């Protein structure tokens, strides 16, 4: 099962990827997570990506295409994968088609999470995650069962993303509108695109997605 999650920053791609991973037992390939890991390592890619990400812009296509092509070839993707954050430009979408063709693979479904832009800033500014296992939470919408204790690993340290501030979010939304939203028709034309109401509660959004399988 090869899936693609599409939607603006804060739409809930990462949140729903967690549920899909557990359901289908396939990995989430989040290019944002890969880049944040490269930044934390201080690799050449990370040094280049850091400035771009903090400005809310996009890392060059060539780098991202190479990164995802290598990742899809890894053993844990043999049963399938969930793309989250890639493709983000027309060039990336076209490169993905070529890449999948060469590997004799195809996307089974493209899930477009549709949300009102006004809700996104609140979602992003309130987001945080466990510093130990990266489980995601929100100040208002997704709190741990025990205050300040991670539900998944019991960790007590949490962190917020550097690009989750009001100014960078505005820039990320603009980048999405200009460079990523135009790829949606690419997937609409062949009937694989499923539009999901991302304004419902987290569990309901997940149920609606799974109802399409
Ligand atoms: P990336 O990490 O991909 O960030 P993004 O696309 O901006 O997406 P987010 O992670 O912010 O949002 P999400 O949809 O996953 O929302 P979430 O589920 O967390 O990319 C970061 C940067 O890396 C980019 O800006 C770019 O610079 C670079 N980059 C990455 N990929 C690239 C590529 N391919 N090419 C070039 N550059 C690239 O939800 C948000 C919050 O809302 C959470 O707290 C959650 O609890 C809450 N929430 C979720 N669903 C609901 C709901 N239904 N109701 C209420 N709250 C909800």
């Amino acid at each position: 099962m090869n899936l693609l999650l599409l939607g603006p920053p804060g739409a809930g791609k990462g949140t729903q990827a967690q549920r899909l991973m557990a359901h289908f037992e396939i990995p989430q390939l989040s290019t944002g997570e890969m880049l944040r890991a490269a930044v934390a390592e201080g690799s050449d890619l990370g040094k280049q990506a850091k400035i771009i990400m903090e400005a809310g812009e996009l890392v060059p296509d060539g780098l991202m295409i190479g990164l995802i092509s290598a990742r899809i070839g890894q053993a844990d993707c043999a049963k399938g994968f969930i793309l989250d954050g890639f493709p983000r430009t027309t060039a990336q979408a076209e490169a993905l088609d070529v890449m999948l063709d060469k590997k004799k693979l195809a996307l089974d479904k493209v899930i477009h999470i549709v949300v009102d832009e006004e809700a996104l800033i609140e979602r992003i500014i309130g987001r945080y995650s466990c510093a130990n296992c990266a489980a995601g939470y929100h100040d208002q919408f997704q709190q741990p069962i025990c205050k300040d204790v991670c539900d998944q690993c019991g960790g007590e340290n949490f962190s917020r993303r550097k690009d989750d501030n009001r100014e960078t979010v505005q820039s990320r939304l603009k980048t999405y509108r200009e460079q990523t939203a135009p790829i949606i028709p690419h997937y609409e034309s062949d009937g694989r695109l499923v539009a999901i109401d991302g304004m419902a509660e987290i569990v309901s959004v997940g149920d609606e997605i799974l109802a399409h399988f």
Side-chain angles (χ1 to χ4, degrees), residues 11-118:
K13 303 181 295 295
T15 303
Q16 297 305 331
Q18 294 298 313
R19 180 149 176 209
L20 291 167
M21 268 168 69
H23 187 86
F24 291 112
E25 297 183 338
I26 52 177
Q28 170 197 18
L29 310 188
S30 160
T31 42
E33 288 299 327
M34 293 176 201
L35 291 171
R36 281 186 285 281
V39 171
E41 273 168 23
S43 66
D44 288 345
L45 170 64
K47 283 179 193 145
Q48 204 175 333
K50 186 173 187 292
I51 303 160
I52 298 172
M53 291 168 82
E54 286 177 9
E57 291 165 6
L58 295 180
V59 173
D61 287 333
L63 290 175
M64 300 313 301
I65 292 163
L67 198 66
I68 213 74
S69 177
R71 185 64 187 88
I72 286 175
Q74 289 177 4
D76 63 334
C77 294
K79 272 176 60 190
F81 49 79
I82 305 161
L83 287 170
D84 165 7
F86 184 97
R88 262 178 145 96
T89 63
T90 303
Q92 290 183 18
E94 288 169 353
L96 179 65
D97 287 346
V98 173
M99 198 188 298
L100 293 179
D101 261 3
K102 274 194 194 152
K103 295 180 198 285
K104 301 209 179 341
L105 297 173
L107 293 172
D108 295 289
K109 280 210 196 304
V110 177
I111 297 156
H112 177 206
I113 306 180
V114 182
V115 280
D116 297 339
E117 206 170 276
E118 304 83 72

Side-chain angles (χ1 to χ4, degrees), residues 3 16 19-24 109 111 194 196 203-213:
L3 305 175
Q16 297 305 331
R19 180 149 176 209
L20 291 167
M21 268 168 69
H23 187 86
F24 291 112
K109 280 210 196 304
I111 297 156
V194 175
I196 300 289
V203 172
S204 311
V205 176
D207 290 345
E208 194 190 338
I209 292 174
L210 287 177
H212 284 274
F213 292 91

Side-chain angles (χ1 to χ4, degrees), residues 172-191:
R172 284 160 61 195
L173 289 170
K174 182 169 179 285
T175 303
Y176 177 82
R177 267 184 248 116
E178 292 175 355
Q179 300 193 55
T180 307
I183 70 174
I184 292 169
H186 179 78
Y187 295 108
E188 254 163 358
S189 54
D190 60 11

